[in-house]
Amino acid sequence: MVRCFLIHSVCPLSELPAGDSRLLYCRLFAPGDGLLTGQLRERSPAERSLLRGEKAAVVARQVRSAVSLSREASGGRPPGEALPGDEALALQDASSGVVRLRAGDPFSEEMSALWLGVQSLGFTLVCEPHENLLLAEGTLRTLTRHCLEHLHMLGPGSEVLLRSNRIDALLSRLLPHGQLLFLNHRFAQSLEKDVAAYMAK
Amino acid sequence: MFSHGSESLIKQAREIQEPELQKFYCRLGKLLVGKELGHETMDSLQRLHLILSATKCTRTLPVELHKRLLSLLSSPVEQLQVLSSAVLRETLPLSGQELNYSQENVQLNSHSAALLLSQAGSRADLSSLCAQLLRGLDSRQPEGPTHSLTHTLPVLNAVLTHSPESLNDDNVTLLSKKLVDWLRYASIIQGGGASAGGFFTGPRSRQPVPTAELDGTVSGDFFTVLCVGQGFTEDQWMNVYSFSMLHHWLLTYHTAPSGNTFTDTDDRSEVDGSVVSMVSATSSSSRLLPPKERLREKAFQYCLRLIEQSDRKALKRTDTELQKACLVEAVCILDCVCVEDTSLVYRTFPYVKPLFGRLSSDLTFARVLLPIAQFYLNHGEMAAVDCESLWKLVFGRFPAELFNDPFLAHELLRFLRLNLESLVLRVPQYPRSFPNLLKFLAWDSPAVVDDFVDLLPSLVTVETAVELLHTLLDLPCLSATLVLQLRSTSSPISEPGGRGLLSLDAFRSPSFRGLFLYLLRPEAGSGDTIDRLSTLHEFLAESADWPRVVQCSQTVPVLLHIFFNTVITVADPKLLAHLILVMLERSSLLLNLPRYMKEIHRVFSCHLLRLCKLHPSLVVDQSHVLLEFAGTTASVYSKEEIYTHVVWALGEYLSVSCDSRCSVTLITSCFETLEAVLFEITSSTPPPGACCPAPRVITTLISALAKLASRSHDLIPRVSLFLSKLRTVTRAGSVAWCADEEDLVAIVTRGEELWSLLRTPGVAQSVLTPPPHVTTPQWHRDTNLSMSLQLRTLTSLTHTQ
């Protein structure tokens, strides 16, 4: 089960303190973590919602530091600016890795956060560790490719904020409710046609 | 990419004022009342979502607007479903209007299910949601859209993650039956009206076309995720969704029966019992099995088919990647069912063993081999399968050749963490393979240091502790060497323009290659360290600013702490003595990185002290080594931290009460050594390049001398001579060896305190060399002192509160 999918900044931003990350898209799947172990039951819905937001922020910050350390270690050259239309190239150049999130930090169980760093943005998938990480990695790449293409993310626009419903629709096909899917190229094609039809409207 | 525009949008959304927001709600409410819901409505809804998600606190919408959005969840336009679900997920549910989880006769779409999931407040909510979904599955309308029910399984899977009890036994049985149908009996005809005919055939000659394998051949067996067709039928889709959740389902509802624990003692009884069950397990009368067992059997068959299908050469690259993922999943599921029913192990190995053979030579399948390793670890002993070649891969080739694959590193280290106890017991290669395993850390420290914090204690053994210490200290060197190794294979032999790296040349030169090869060794046992370590450090000096090396050096102190904390639990005094020796030797033999030496010295000092405190006799034992170290004046300036602690330890523990072998001669020679150093540093300026010795060094030396003098009274006059000299010199004003006047005063004061103490040698002895019962008080054991304690205890027991 994938717990959440995030799109967030991985470059320094003047408006934020150093090391902090701006969340552009955050989708947490499933009922709240710890809901039924009693931890969350005492809290009001408002508190629970706040808690979920905080967890996403913690993950984003940890991934941000992982991305910058990884980029520093592999040469420190700032990621090249690919132009719109070069999504495949941007994806190829992307750095990737996985962060181990210990139990309690921030989810109640241990999690693995897979990340892809495409220029100034990070795409993160938080999975339960017994999950098939090979499949998760493939799914993350596919999701990133679609986000880059359909939301023109290599350009200067802010469509990721103004058209987040497209990401929701994409997730509902390729990662429904956090379920990773074993899709061969035919199944994938069929779903992608569906997605393209949605985006065209 | 991430533009200034995005930042300002977020800022605007966050800072929207309340009146403006209310106006916006009004406008949106009006738009939603209209019949035609066009672009403006969508944009407004999207903007509302942005406003709601930009702030941390969750808002409540006006009741009317909230109700309108709820009704949009079942709109025929998908955009509206998506947007309303997204907006409602960001708001608080209306009080008193909690979502109705048990609506009858309503087909939940994926987006409304998402909302129900995110706002579920209790187990009861989730149970009702499950019940509703299962009703939807049962009462299937044949004319519904293709994907209308495909979200059911993912939603159920999401519920299972947090609340497996939401499905009662009946539901579990019902779903088990459905899963069996979808997994094993899905249609093998291509859906979507595909036909075998060409351009000229009409609709009448359309023949049903069977599905194909990934390499193009026609499918000969039941449908799986690795089968393709022009289009797919509904049950083929459900096949995909079922397999996608199968592992999780089995983990949740098919836990191992209590008798099948995996300890060594159980294995013997299993061998006898399984001969009988092997026969019954291969029977094909699976129809007679109860639903749970039937699902297990079908899952088993599905996985075996996937393993067979993965041997085919897929025509598309993405399908090759899928085959790998399927292999991983299949082996994991097989492991799971074999844990539940151990009789299946004998049916499984004939497939898993050849799979291992096929994949073991291809490093691109490394990540697939890890679940196979788990399978072998869980069931290999039972089936008496030889795992040697597997461990050679896991501890040999993978770390040595794939250290730079972050995903493999993560998964391999996780495998080690989860199976630590079994590995330590059953796989002798594991503790010896630390030189290889540390390559993961040397390459990408920030990502894996957490894992090594957990793994390092298991790698500390009495036989290899010294070598491990050397290896940890040289981790930055290993890091640099790995960088050189990769650079060596990727860059040309001679760079044009001659701007080659000194270290790279050394790496490639045959005369020095051996040094680097020692660092790259796969196993411990071939020597604790090398003689020409300083040469190696010289070659690698230019790597001091390579980011990877710097990151690695920052993790070494933490690991050293863990190493020492563990080693004192397993080591005997002989080993500890050896470790002290190593610490003193290596304190000057480290790669020259900016803060590295200082940090390592700090760790050494801390643990040196701990070791001496635990085994005070070590000081007398290793006195010649310690004295040699303490007698080197240069150490005062270059290794101040360690020097101070060594001197302190000598002063504290070089006494008869700590070890009876401590003779007067020993005390005297120690005194003379320290005295000489003290004279030297207090009578001259520091050598060029060094700053003044810290006051702490000087006071520690003085204290140590006083302590030693208190044990051998004829040394006392020498101490008083020194202290009077000190007083005279400092009265003259500033001195070359102490920059701060306050520090000088403190040093002199300490000297005077000790001098006045030493004037009464008997008192000095009991203060400066207290007997053990003073330093480790156990008042309750002392017959004189315990009386008051006993009385107090009796009183509190007898007096009722």
Side-chain angles (χ1 to χ4, degrees):
Chain A
M1 223 53 224
V2 170
R3 289 299 180 96
C4 70
F5 173 67
L6 306 171
I7 304 179
H8 55 101
S9 66
V10 292
C11 54
L13 288 175
S14 52
E15 294 86 358
L16 288 175
D20 212 351
S21 174
R22 169 76 71 212
L23 270 178
L24 292 175
Y25 179 84
C26 165
R27 176 72 196 272
L28 285 145
F29 297 106
D33 174 48
L35 171 68
L36 298 141
T37 57
Q39 285 171 18
L40 286 190
R41 239 182 306 182
E42 290 94 50
R43 297 179 194 266
S44 68
E47 279 181 327
R48 267 190 258 147
S49 173
L50 191 63
L51 205 59
R52 283 205 290 260
E54 285 301 313
K55 285 187 181 173
V58 167
V59 175
R61 271 199 297 274
Q62 290 209 31
V63 171
R64 156 138 175 58
S65 90
V67 173
S68 60
L69 284 168
S70 165
R71 283 182 173 164
E72 187 190 17
S74 48
R77 268 175 292 113
E81 291 288 312
L83 296 168
D86 274 345
E87 280 84 15
L89 184 65
L91 206 53
Q92 228 181 341
D93 281 343
S95 46
S96 63
V98 55
V99 174
R100 174 188 168 197
L101 299 169
R102 274 193 186 262
D105 183 26
F107 296 96
S108 56
E109 291 145 356
E110 183 178 314
M111 295 284 156
S112 302
L114 287 80
W115 56 264
L116 263 183
V118 181
Q119 294 177 19
S120 54
L121 288 182
F123 296 80
T124 303
L125 211 59
V126 176
C127 302
E128 292 168 358
H130 67 76
E131 196 65 69
N132 189 326
L133 293 184
L134 207 48
L135 184 66
E137 194 191 340
T139 310
L140 180 59
R141 281 188 188 271
T142 312
L143 283 174
T144 307
R145 179 169 52 88
H146 283 290
C147 285
L148 291 175
E149 280 169 10
H150 293 290
L151 294 167
H152 311 113
M153 289 176 92
L154 292 177
S158 316
E159 285 188 48
V160 61
L161 292 172
L162 294 172
R163 297 217 195 285
S164 63
N165 71 89
R166 289 190 174 182
I167 312 182
D168 283 342
L170 180 69
L171 288 175
S172 75
R173 306 291 194 285
L174 296 180
L175 193 63
H177 307 282
Q179 174 75 62
L180 291 168
L181 295 176
F182 288 86
L183 300 170
N184 62 46
H185 75 277
R186 282 278 176 215
F187 280 107
Q189 244 170 37
S190 169
L191 287 176
E192 283 169 14
K193 245 197 295 190
D194 212 20
V195 167
Y198 178 94
M199 305 283 181
K201 283 194 216 139
Chain B
M1 203 185 180
F2 179 70
S3 63
H4 192 64
S6 306
E7 262 308 296
S8 69
L9 263 176
I10 295 179
K11 194 158 177 259
Q12 264 177 29
R14 204 174 270 179
E15 293 173 356
I16 189 168
Q17 299 298 325
E18 194 60 31
E20 202 184 321
L21 186 59
Q22 291 299 330
K23 262 198 271 174
F24 181 64
Y25 287 158
C26 262
R27 216 173 39 231
L28 182 59
K30 283 205 199 97
L31 277 173
L32 290 176
V33 166
K35 286 276 173 183
E36 283 294 315
L37 297 172
H39 278 296
E40 203 189 332
T41 321
M42 311 286 190
D43 279 343
S44 305
L45 279 171
Q46 185 70 72
R47 191 155 291 145
L48 178 61
H49 178 251
L50 179 59
I51 293 171
L52 292 172
S53 57
T55 48
K56 275 197 179 175
C57 62
T58 338
R59 298 176 195 265
T60 25
L61 294 173
V63 177
E64 268 308 309
L65 187 57
H66 196 119
K67 285 199 191 149
R68 284 230 175 274
L69 288 171
L70 275 174
S71 66
L72 279 183
L73 281 174
S74 34
S75 152
V77 180
E78 200 190 344
Q79 261 96 338
L80 292 171
Q81 290 175 11
V82 174
L83 283 164
S84 52
S85 176
V87 167
L88 289 170
R89 267 185 274 125
E90 296 289 336
T91 63
L92 297 174
L94 293 171
S95 55
Q97 291 260 359
E98 268 82 30
L99 295 166
N100 193 343
Y101 278 81
S102 39
Q103 289 165 319
E104 299 282 340
N105 299 325
V106 171
Q107 287 276 30
L108 278 178
N109 61 49
S110 176
H111 307 288
S112 40
L115 179 63
L116 287 175
L117 264 180
S118 86
Q119 292 189 334
S122 67
R123 212 162 267 160
D125 286 343
L126 292 176
S127 299
S128 320
L129 177 58
C130 289
Q132 198 177 353
L133 288 166
L134 287 170
R135 267 200 302 274
L137 268 185
D138 250 349
S139 62
R140 185 72 191 88
Q141 272 109 15
E143 66 269 10
T146 330
H147 296 321
S148 64
L149 285 181
T150 49
H151 64 271
T152 312
L153 288 182
V155 175
L156 282 169
N157 200 14
V159 171
L160 291 186
T161 311
H162 298 276
S163 166
E165 309 80 20
S166 299
L167 283 182
N168 58 32
D169 285 340
D170 286 335
N171 288 338
V172 171
T173 311
L174 169 67
L175 259 179
S176 300
K177 288 193 189 144
K178 285 228 173 286
L179 287 173
V180 165
D181 277 338
W182 286 322
L183 286 172
R184 182 65 181 79
Y185 300 110
S187 162
I188 49 171
I189 305 294
Q190 291 191 25
S195 74
F199 186 67
F200 290 104
T201 52
R204 237 177 300 140
S205 52
R206 282 233 173 95
Q207 290 184 6
V209 181
T211 53
E213 300 289 333
L214 291 177
D215 57 1
T217 56
V218 172
S219 286
D221 207 342
F222 60 89
F223 185 85
T224 71
V225 294
L226 293 179
C227 293
V228 289
Q230 292 289 349
F232 296 104
T233 60
E234 167 108 15
D235 57 354
Q236 287 169 346
W237 278 103
M238 294 312 280
N239 183 297
V240 172
Y241 285 94
S242 306
F243 179 65
S244 300
M245 71 175 276
L246 183 59
H247 189 206
H248 192 215
W249 177 270
L250 293 173
L251 283 175
T252 313
Y253 291 117
H254 289 234
T255 48
S258 51
N260 268 357
T261 49
F262 269 89
T263 57
D264 290 351
T265 51
D266 277 355
D267 284 351
R268 289 211 184 275
S269 53
E270 292 299 339
V271 170
D272 300 326
S274 58
V275 175
V276 174
S277 56
M278 220 165 102
V279 175
S280 61
T282 48
S283 78
S284 51
S285 56
S286 59
R287 209 164 281 276
L288 303 172
L289 292 170
K292 248 179 122 173
E293 280 70 13
R294 197 146 173 257
L295 177 59
R296 191 199 310 149
E297 178 66 28
K298 298 306 172 190
F300 178 75
Q301 288 172 7
Y302 198 102
C303 293
L304 295 185
R305 173 137 161 76
L306 283 180
I307 293 179
E308 175 262 320
Q309 282 177 302
S310 299
D311 204 7
R312 295 165 182 273
K313 184 123 176 51
L315 297 173
K316 296 228 179 242
R317 200 184 64 87
T318 49
D319 287 339
T320 317
E321 296 303 310
L322 183 69
Q323 281 175 320
K324 280 190 203 164
C326 284
L327 278 174
V328 168
E329 192 81 355
V331 175
C332 287
I333 293 178
L334 287 172
D335 188 23
C336 191
V337 301
C338 285
V339 164
E340 197 191 351
D341 178 2
T342 47
S343 65
L344 289 171
V345 174
Y346 292 99
R347 291 170 65 193
T348 318
F349 260 112
Y351 291 85
V352 174
K353 217 163 152 213
L355 181 64
F356 171 66
R358 210 172 79 211
L359 301 178
S360 55
S361 49
D362 186 350
L363 282 181
T364 57
F365 282 91
R367 285 170 73 182
V368 179
L369 285 164
L370 289 176
I372 297 182
Q374 182 72 66
F375 187 85
Y376 270 54
L377 193 62
N378 287 349
H379 311 283
E381 214 167 287
M382 181 180 154
V385 170
D386 178 30
C387 306
E388 266 305 306
S389 43
L390 175 70
W391 300 130
K392 266 215 189 88
L393 267 182
V394 173
F395 296 116
R397 275 193 90 191
F398 287 176
E401 297 181 53
L402 298 173
F403 54 83
N404 54 350
D405 179 346
F407 295 98
L408 177 75
H410 178 86
E411 290 181 326
L412 197 146
L413 293 172
R414 186 168 170 268
F415 168 72
L416 295 180
R417 272 189 295 118
L418 292 178
N419 296 288
L420 211 49
E421 281 174 27
S422 307
L423 288 171
V424 165
L425 263 169
R426 296 202 246 147
V427 184
Q429 291 102 311
Y430 167 63
R432 281 201 322 258
S433 58
F434 65 78
N436 247 358
L437 293 174
L438 285 171
K439 287 176 188 168
F440 288 124
L441 183 67
W443 182 257
D444 192 359
S445 328
V448 301
V449 63
D450 216 22
D451 290 322
F452 274 95
V453 163
D454 292 336
L455 289 173
L456 191 63
S458 60
L459 294 171
V460 178
T461 65
V462 173
E463 297 86 26
T464 55
V466 176
E467 192 180 343
L468 180 56
L469 178 57
H470 281 290
T471 312
L472 286 174
L473 292 170
D474 282 324
L475 266 180
C477 300
L478 178 59
S479 185
T481 309
L482 292 174
V483 173
L484 290 173
Q485 188 181 42
L486 282 182
R487 218 177 273 198
S488 163
T489 48
S490 63
S491 65
I493 295 292
S494 59
E495 287 204 359
R499 224 215 93 219
L501 292 167
L502 176 69
S503 46
L504 191 55
D505 292 335
F507 182 77
R508 284 173 172 158
S509 89
S511 39
F512 299 116
R513 202 169 163 73
L515 301 175
F516 296 96
L517 287 178
Y518 174 76
L519 285 180
L520 293 173
R521 70 199 186 283
E523 250 193 351
S526 55
D528 293 338
T529 185
I530 46 177
D531 289 332
R532 294 194 287 166
L533 203 54
S534 47
T535 322
L536 184 64
H537 289 165
E538 268 168 44
F539 284 132
L540 292 175
E542 64 191 349
S543 69
D545 57 357
W546 296 356
R548 232 175 256 287
V549 175
V550 172
Q551 283 175 5
C552 179
S553 70
Q554 289 166 349
T555 59
V556 176
V558 168
L559 295 173
L560 284 178
H561 278 301
I562 298 176
F563 170 80
F564 281 111
N565 289 344
T566 318
V567 91
I568 53 178
T569 59
V570 300
D572 57 352
K574 193 156 161 278
L575 176 59
L576 294 177
H578 197 166
L579 289 175
I580 293 182
L581 189 59
V582 171
M583 279 197 272
L584 295 179
E585 260 177 24
R586 290 302 304 260
S587 59
S588 51
L589 197 57
L590 292 169
L591 190 61
N592 195 2
L593 294 165
R595 281 189 302 272
Y596 187 56
M597 274 188 149
K598 259 212 164 74
E599 288 294 316
I600 301 295
H601 286 179
R602 247 199 302 156
V603 177
F604 278 173
S605 308
C606 164
H607 289 284
L608 193 72
L609 220 53
R610 267 180 90 196
L611 289 185
C612 292
K613 214 171 194 175
L614 261 163
H615 299 270
S617 54
L618 272 174
V619 177
V620 172
D621 210 36
Q622 297 297 304
S623 54
H624 55 285
V625 168
L626 291 167
L627 279 177
E628 203 182 311
F629 185 84
T632 325
T633 318
S635 305
V636 175
Y637 301 104
S638 62
K639 299 180 229 175
E640 185 190 297
E641 187 84 26
I642 298 189
Y643 186 84
T644 316
H645 285 79
V646 167
V647 167
W648 192 91
L650 281 170
E652 189 74 4
Y653 299 116
L654 199 73
S655 77
V656 171
S657 53
C658 291
D659 188 323
S660 52
R661 295 171 293 168
C662 181
S663 62
V664 173
T665 338
L666 186 56
I667 294 182
T668 315
S669 72
C670 180
F671 184 93
E672 282 171 355
T673 314
L674 297 180
E675 189 187 38
V677 174
L678 190 55
F679 268 131
E680 206 180 317
I681 58 177
T682 54
S683 57
S684 58
T685 52
C691 49
C692 295
R696 197 169 64 139
V697 181
I698 302 179
T699 51
T700 313
L701 277 166
I702 299 176
S703 306
L705 289 176
K707 287 176 191 169
L708 291 169
S710 74
R711 291 166 205 155
S712 171
H713 297 207
D714 17 301
L715 295 170
I716 295 182
R718 292 167 76 164
V719 178
S720 63
L721 182 64
F722 171 78
L723 289 171
S724 62
K725 265 204 188 142
L726 187 65
R727 229 178 305 134
T728 328
V729 163
T730 55
R731 244 181 237 145
S734 66
V735 290
W737 45 268
C738 186
D740 195 302
E741 208 182 294
E742 276 180 31
D743 291 340
L744 193 57
V745 168
I747 293 172
V748 173
T749 317
R750 171 65 68 93
E752 298 205 349
E753 286 167 0
L754 288 168
W755 167 228
S756 49
L757 194 58
L758 284 173
R759 271 203 282 250
T760 43
V763 176
Q765 190 158 16
S766 40
V767 170
L768 296 173
T769 313
H773 74 255
V774 171
T775 45
T776 53
Q778 289 181 303
W779 309 121
H780 58 284
R781 290 215 188 146
D782 187 293
T783 39
N784 297 323
L785 292 165
S786 63
M787 180 69 80
S788 59
L789 280 175
Q790 287 168 359
L791 283 175
R792 225 180 296 151
T793 316
L794 282 173
T795 315
S796 61
L797 281 175
T798 52
H799 273 210
T800 48
Q801 188 45 267

